[in-house]
Amino acid sequence: SHPRHEFNFWFDPEAAHITLRAHWPRIDLTDVDISIKTMFTPELLHQIAQSHSPAAQYLARYTHDDYYYMWDELAAAAWIDPKIITKETLLYVDVDTTRGPDYGDTLTWTSANQPTLPGPQGDAQPVHVHEDLDLARFNRMFVDLMKAEPVAQ
């Protein structure tokens, strides 16, 4: 296993541990390694600002040299359009919940070396870890969604 820090896991290791051990139909993980391949840029903002939609105008008005990686946006986009993810690895993922120097570290195993004994919340589950993306497709989706007019209710 290779310990790593994922902010959301590190912030609440017990919750991450329980979630990763639950028997969901499928678990996908958009981690920091793929997220840093995305960036909200002035060019994207310029495209978005051409729209009069509330979301576009909000971004145009309040974005001032605040260009960050699009961690959560990528996770949401991949859920909406799984084809955005072009490469993934199937791993078994858990979080170290022991109260020591490794507390909160992300632990990963392949199917060949996964833990065989179940933990307190059950056995390790396979996780689809996102590794690469179609950045152009993601950027198009993000811009289109930010430019879209709200749906009338």
Side-chain angles (χ1 to χ4, degrees):
S1 63
H2 302 285
R4 304 174 63 172
H5 294 289
E6 289 291 337
F7 177 78
N8 293 318
F9 290 0
W10 198 43
F11 191 79
D12 192 343
E14 286 78 14
H17 173 75
I18 291 167
T19 301
L20 290 165
R21 293 264 177 169
H23 288 256
W24 304 105
R26 180 180 166 116
I27 302 173
D28 281 72
L29 177 59
T30 305
D31 68 8
V32 71
D33 294 335
I34 189 173
S35 297
I36 62 173
K37 296 179 181 185
T38 67
M39 178 63 78
F40 186 56
T41 65
E43 294 79 18
L44 292 176
L45 180 60
H46 176 72
Q47 292 175 44
I48 292 167
Q50 295 175 18
S51 170
H52 295 289
S53 78
Q57 289 305 299
Y58 179 89
L59 286 172
R61 182 173 182 179
Y62 294 108
T63 302
H64 305 289
D65 299 324
D66 294 332
Y67 300 99
Y68 297 103
Y69 300 117
M70 295 195 283
W71 300 285
D72 297 330
E73 295 86 348
L74 177 57
W79 180 69
I80 294 168
D81 180 6
K83 290 181 181 176
I84 284 175
I85 303 304
T86 59
K87 183 180 179 188
E88 67 178 38
T89 299
L90 196 63
L91 295 174
Y92 291 81
V93 181
D94 203 352
V95 181
D96 189 331
T97 56
T98 59
R99 298 292 180 150
D102 297 326
Y103 179 68
D105 283 354
T106 304
L107 309 171
T108 61
W109 301 272
T110 65
S111 59
N113 67 1
Q114 69 173 312
T116 55
L117 296 174
Q121 275 75 35
D123 51 329
Q125 299 299 305
V127 176
H128 298 262
V129 180
H130 299 165
E131 289 189 336
D132 211 351
L133 74 150
D134 181 336
L135 185 59
R137 186 178 186 126
F138 167 70
N139 285 341
R140 272 193 313 275
M141 174 190 262
F142 179 74
V143 168
D144 289 348
L145 289 171
M146 293 303 102
K147 290 172 70 173
E149 292 294 328
V151 177
Q153 294 189 7

